[in-house]
Amino acid sequence: YHVATSMKSFQEDLRIKGYEDDVLSVTTSEFGRRVYSNGSYGTDHGTAGPIFIFGKGVQPGVVGDAFATTSNGGNLAMQYDYRNIYANIIKDWMWKGQDTNNYLDEIFPGLMTTGTTDSV
């Protein structure tokens, strides 16, 4: 609820000020989370976590199986390497149309040799 209402308000502010075409917002947790709420309406630490990407230029929808869990107490199953997602944001949003392979290999060593930046 808090993330959704905050991001909605932020997007509305961007629209009013004429910046919504220029801003992409990304939210993530620095540690994994579990799917189900705990007693204080939060989520406990887990093995994987969601990344939410907001903005007018974002194609809406869910990528992956949002609630795929492991057999280990409701932990989320890891589906995408966060480095792949960030590399695609850099390539397709920040440096669109520029050759980014050399830069991405410096930022995420070894990621470019796997050829995975085209998958998300």
Side-chain angles (χ1 to χ4, degrees):
Y1 168 79
H2 295 292
V3 172
T5 56
S6 297
M7 290 311 301
K8 181 179 179 185
S9 178
F10 181 63
Q11 286 299 130
E12 181 63 16
D13 287 347
L14 291 173
R15 187 189 63 73
I16 290 168
K17 294 180 184 291
Y19 296 127
E20 70 178 337
D21 290 333
D22 302 322
V23 176
L24 179 79
S25 300
V26 180
T27 66
T28 189
S29 177
E30 70 275 16
F31 41 78
R33 291 296 191 175
R34 294 187 185 216
V35 173
Y36 304 104
S37 296
N38 59 25
S40 62
Y41 301 108
T43 54
D44 294 325
H45 291 218
T47 57
I51 295 177
F52 298 106
I53 303 173
F54 302 89
K56 185 177 177 188
V58 175
Q59 182 178 345
V62 175
V63 176
D65 185 353
F67 296 104
T69 58
T70 67
S71 59
N72 184 12
N75 280 307
L76 290 168
M78 181 71 74
Q79 297 175 48
Y80 298 100
D81 185 329
Y82 72 93
R83 298 172 305 163
N84 184 315
I85 296 167
Y86 294 158
N88 276 286
I89 290 170
I90 291 169
K91 185 175 72 171
D92 297 338
W93 181 267
M94 298 174 75
W95 293 338
K96 189 171 187 163
Q98 298 179 38
D99 180 17
T100 59
N101 289 348
N102 291 334
Y103 297 110
L104 291 176
D105 198 41
E106 288 181 34
I107 296 168
F108 304 111
L111 188 65
M112 295 308 298
T113 58
T114 64
T116 59
T117 59
D118 293 329
S119 63
V120 174

Short mmCIF file of all heavy atoms in Angstrom, two decimals, residues 24-56:
data_model
loop_
_atom_site.label_atom_id
_atom_site.label_comp_id
_atom_site.label_asym_id
_atom_site.label_seq_id
_atom_site.Cartn_x
_atom_site.Cartn_y
_atom_site.Cartn_z
N LEU A 24 12.43 7.46 -14.83
CA LEU A 24 12.15 6.05 -14.61
C LEU A 24 12.49 5.77 -13.15
O LEU A 24 13.57 6.11 -12.69
CB LEU A 24 13.02 5.18 -15.53
CG LEU A 24 12.85 3.69 -15.38
CD1 LEU A 24 11.58 3.25 -16.12
CD2 LEU A 24 14.05 2.97 -15.95
N SER A 25 11.58 5.17 -12.42
CA SER A 25 11.81 4.86 -11.01
C SER A 25 11.90 3.36 -10.82
O SER A 25 11.14 2.60 -11.42
CB SER A 25 10.66 5.40 -10.15
OG SER A 25 10.55 6.80 -10.29
N VAL A 26 12.84 2.95 -9.97
CA VAL A 26 13.06 1.54 -9.68
C VAL A 26 13.07 1.37 -8.17
O VAL A 26 13.77 2.09 -7.47
CB VAL A 26 14.40 1.04 -10.27
CG1 VAL A 26 14.62 -0.42 -9.96
CG2 VAL A 26 14.47 1.31 -11.76
N THR A 27 12.28 0.42 -7.68
CA THR A 27 12.32 0.11 -6.25
C THR A 27 12.73 -1.35 -6.09
O THR A 27 12.37 -2.21 -6.88
CB THR A 27 10.96 0.30 -5.56
OG1 THR A 27 10.03 -0.64 -6.07
CG2 THR A 27 10.42 1.70 -5.76
N THR A 28 13.51 -1.59 -5.08
CA THR A 28 13.95 -2.95 -4.77
C THR A 28 14.29 -2.99 -3.28
O THR A 28 14.40 -1.96 -2.63
CB THR A 28 15.14 -3.36 -5.65
OG1 THR A 28 15.40 -4.75 -5.46
CG2 THR A 28 16.38 -2.56 -5.33
N SER A 29 14.46 -4.17 -2.76
CA SER A 29 14.89 -4.34 -1.38
C SER A 29 16.33 -4.81 -1.39
O SER A 29 16.74 -5.57 -2.27
CB SER A 29 14.00 -5.39 -0.69
OG SER A 29 14.45 -5.62 0.63
N GLU A 30 17.10 -4.35 -0.43
CA GLU A 30 18.51 -4.76 -0.38
C GLU A 30 18.69 -6.19 0.08
O GLU A 30 19.78 -6.73 0.07
CB GLU A 30 19.32 -3.81 0.52
CG GLU A 30 19.03 -3.92 1.98
CD GLU A 30 17.84 -3.10 2.47
OE1 GLU A 30 17.02 -2.64 1.66
OE2 GLU A 30 17.72 -2.93 3.69
N PHE A 31 17.61 -6.84 0.48
CA PHE A 31 17.65 -8.25 0.83
C PHE A 31 16.36 -8.89 0.36
O PHE A 31 15.38 -8.22 0.08
CB PHE A 31 17.83 -8.46 2.35
CG PHE A 31 17.04 -7.51 3.19
CD1 PHE A 31 15.68 -7.70 3.40
CD2 PHE A 31 17.64 -6.41 3.76
CE1 PHE A 31 14.94 -6.82 4.16
CE2 PHE A 31 16.90 -5.53 4.54
CZ PHE A 31 15.56 -5.73 4.74
N GLY A 32 16.36 -10.20 0.26
CA GLY A 32 15.19 -10.92 -0.21
C GLY A 32 14.01 -10.78 0.74
O GLY A 32 14.16 -10.41 1.91
N ARG A 33 12.85 -11.06 0.25
CA ARG A 33 11.61 -11.00 1.02
C ARG A 33 10.80 -12.27 0.80
O ARG A 33 10.99 -12.99 -0.15
CB ARG A 33 10.77 -9.78 0.58
CG ARG A 33 11.37 -8.46 0.95
CD ARG A 33 11.41 -8.34 2.43
NE ARG A 33 11.75 -6.99 2.86
CZ ARG A 33 11.74 -6.65 4.12
NH1 ARG A 33 11.42 -7.50 5.06
NH2 ARG A 33 12.06 -5.43 4.47
N ARG A 34 9.86 -12.49 1.68
CA ARG A 34 8.91 -13.59 1.52
C ARG A 34 7.61 -13.03 0.96
O ARG A 34 7.37 -11.84 1.01
CB ARG A 34 8.68 -14.29 2.85
CG ARG A 34 9.94 -14.99 3.31
CD ARG A 34 9.70 -15.81 4.53
NE ARG A 34 10.99 -16.34 4.97
CZ ARG A 34 11.15 -17.52 5.47
NH1 ARG A 34 10.14 -18.33 5.62
NH2 ARG A 34 12.34 -17.92 5.85
N VAL A 35 6.75 -13.90 0.46
CA VAL A 35 5.52 -13.46 -0.18
C VAL A 35 4.48 -12.98 0.83
O VAL A 35 3.85 -11.94 0.64
CB VAL A 35 4.92 -14.61 -1.03
CG1 VAL A 35 3.55 -14.22 -1.56
CG2 VAL A 35 5.84 -14.97 -2.17
N TYR A 36 4.32 -13.70 1.90
CA TYR A 36 3.19 -13.45 2.80
C TYR A 36 3.51 -12.42 3.87
O TYR A 36 4.62 -12.36 4.39
CB TYR A 36 2.75 -14.76 3.44
CG TYR A 36 2.41 -15.79 2.39
CD1 TYR A 36 3.28 -16.82 2.09
CD2 TYR A 36 1.24 -15.67 1.63
CE1 TYR A 36 2.99 -17.75 1.10
CE2 TYR A 36 0.95 -16.58 0.64
CZ TYR A 36 1.82 -17.61 0.38
OH TYR A 36 1.55 -18.51 -0.61
N SER A 37 2.51 -11.62 4.24
CA SER A 37 2.67 -10.61 5.28
C SER A 37 2.89 -11.27 6.64
O SER A 37 2.34 -12.33 6.92
CB SER A 37 1.41 -9.73 5.36
OG SER A 37 1.24 -9.00 4.19
N ASN A 38 3.66 -10.58 7.48
CA ASN A 38 3.85 -11.04 8.84
C ASN A 38 2.87 -10.31 9.77
O ASN A 38 2.00 -9.58 9.30
CB ASN A 38 5.31 -10.86 9.28
CG ASN A 38 5.77 -9.42 9.22
OD1 ASN A 38 4.98 -8.49 9.30
ND2 ASN A 38 7.07 -9.23 9.08
N GLY A 39 3.04 -10.45 11.07
CA GLY A 39 2.11 -9.87 12.04
C GLY A 39 2.05 -8.36 12.02
O GLY A 39 1.07 -7.76 12.47
N SER A 40 3.09 -7.69 11.51
CA SER A 40 3.08 -6.23 11.46
C SER A 40 2.83 -5.71 10.05
O SER A 40 3.17 -4.58 9.72
CB SER A 40 4.40 -5.68 12.01
OG SER A 40 5.49 -6.12 11.23
N TYR A 41 2.25 -6.56 9.20
CA TYR A 41 1.88 -6.23 7.81
C TYR A 41 3.09 -5.94 6.92
O TYR A 41 2.97 -5.28 5.90
CB TYR A 41 0.88 -5.07 7.76
CG TYR A 41 -0.38 -5.38 8.50
CD1 TYR A 41 -0.64 -4.76 9.72
CD2 TYR A 41 -1.28 -6.32 8.04
CE1 TYR A 41 -1.79 -5.06 10.44
CE2 TYR A 41 -2.43 -6.63 8.75
CZ TYR A 41 -2.67 -6.01 9.94
OH TYR A 41 -3.79 -6.31 10.65
N GLY A 42 4.24 -6.44 7.30
CA GLY A 42 5.43 -6.36 6.46
C GLY A 42 5.70 -7.74 5.90
O GLY A 42 4.84 -8.62 5.95
N THR A 43 6.88 -7.94 5.38
CA THR A 43 7.27 -9.26 4.91
C THR A 43 8.63 -9.59 5.52
O THR A 43 9.48 -8.72 5.67
CB THR A 43 7.36 -9.32 3.37
OG1 THR A 43 8.22 -8.28 2.90
CG2 THR A 43 5.98 -9.18 2.74
N ASP A 44 8.80 -10.84 5.87
CA ASP A 44 10.04 -11.29 6.48
C ASP A 44 11.14 -11.44 5.43
O ASP A 44 10.87 -11.57 4.24
CB ASP A 44 9.82 -12.64 7.18
CG ASP A 44 8.88 -12.50 8.37
OD1 ASP A 44 8.91 -11.45 9.04
OD2 ASP A 44 8.11 -13.45 8.61
N HIS A 45 12.39 -11.44 5.90
CA HIS A 45 13.52 -11.66 5.01
C HIS A 45 13.38 -13.02 4.33
O HIS A 45 12.86 -13.96 4.91
CB HIS A 45 14.83 -11.63 5.79
CG HIS A 45 15.17 -10.28 6.31
ND1 HIS A 45 16.46 -9.82 6.33
CD2 HIS A 45 14.42 -9.28 6.83
CE1 HIS A 45 16.48 -8.61 6.84
NE2 HIS A 45 15.25 -8.27 7.15
N GLY A 46 13.82 -13.09 3.09
CA GLY A 46 13.72 -14.34 2.33
C GLY A 46 14.86 -14.47 1.34
O GLY A 46 15.89 -13.81 1.46
N THR A 47 14.65 -15.28 0.32
CA THR A 47 15.71 -15.61 -0.62
C THR A 47 15.71 -14.75 -1.88
O THR A 47 16.72 -14.67 -2.56
CB THR A 47 15.62 -17.07 -1.06
OG1 THR A 47 14.32 -17.29 -1.62
CG2 THR A 47 15.82 -18.01 0.11
N ALA A 48 14.63 -14.14 -2.24
CA ALA A 48 14.53 -13.32 -3.45
C ALA A 48 13.54 -12.21 -3.19
O ALA A 48 12.85 -12.21 -2.17
CB ALA A 48 14.08 -14.17 -4.64
N GLY A 49 13.45 -11.27 -4.09
CA GLY A 49 12.51 -10.17 -3.88
C GLY A 49 12.11 -9.52 -5.18
O GLY A 49 12.77 -9.68 -6.21
N PRO A 50 11.02 -8.77 -5.14
CA PRO A 50 10.53 -8.11 -6.36
C PRO A 50 11.31 -6.83 -6.66
O PRO A 50 11.89 -6.22 -5.78
CB PRO A 50 9.08 -7.78 -6.00
CG PRO A 50 9.14 -7.54 -4.52
CD PRO A 50 10.15 -8.52 -4.00
N ILE A 51 11.31 -6.48 -7.91
CA ILE A 51 11.79 -5.17 -8.36
C ILE A 51 10.62 -4.53 -9.08
O ILE A 51 10.05 -5.12 -10.00
CB ILE A 51 13.00 -5.30 -9.31
CG1 ILE A 51 14.19 -5.90 -8.57
CG2 ILE A 51 13.35 -3.95 -9.91
CD1 ILE A 51 15.41 -6.12 -9.44
N PHE A 52 10.23 -3.35 -8.64
CA PHE A 52 9.15 -2.61 -9.27
C PHE A 52 9.75 -1.48 -10.09
O PHE A 52 10.59 -0.73 -9.59
CB PHE A 52 8.18 -2.03 -8.23
CG PHE A 52 7.50 -3.07 -7.40
CD1 PHE A 52 7.87 -3.27 -6.08
CD2 PHE A 52 6.50 -3.87 -7.93
CE1 PHE A 52 7.24 -4.23 -5.30
CE2 PHE A 52 5.86 -4.83 -7.16
CZ PHE A 52 6.24 -5.01 -5.84
N ILE A 53 9.32 -1.36 -11.33
CA ILE A 53 9.80 -0.31 -12.22
C ILE A 53 8.59 0.53 -12.62
O ILE A 53 7.60 0.01 -13.13
CB ILE A 53 10.50 -0.91 -13.46
CG1 ILE A 53 11.65 -1.81 -13.00
CG2 ILE A 53 10.99 0.20 -14.38
CD1 ILE A 53 12.32 -2.58 -14.12
N PHE A 54 8.68 1.84 -12.38
CA PHE A 54 7.57 2.76 -12.62
C PHE A 54 7.97 3.82 -13.62
O PHE A 54 9.11 4.25 -13.65
CB PHE A 54 7.19 3.50 -11.33
CG PHE A 54 6.82 2.61 -10.18
CD1 PHE A 54 7.78 2.15 -9.31
CD2 PHE A 54 5.50 2.27 -9.97
CE1 PHE A 54 7.44 1.36 -8.23
CE2 PHE A 54 5.16 1.46 -8.90
CZ PHE A 54 6.12 1.01 -8.03
N GLY A 55 7.01 4.28 -14.39
CA GLY A 55 7.24 5.40 -15.27
C GLY A 55 6.35 5.32 -16.50
O GLY A 55 5.85 4.27 -16.85
N LYS A 56 6.18 6.46 -17.14
CA LYS A 56 5.33 6.52 -18.33
C LYS A 56 5.86 5.64 -19.44
O LYS A 56 5.10 5.06 -20.20
CB LYS A 56 5.21 7.96 -18.80
CG LYS A 56 4.26 8.14 -19.94
CD LYS A 56 4.12 9.58 -20.34
CE LYS A 56 3.20 9.71 -21.55
NZ LYS A 56 3.20 11.07 -22.07
#
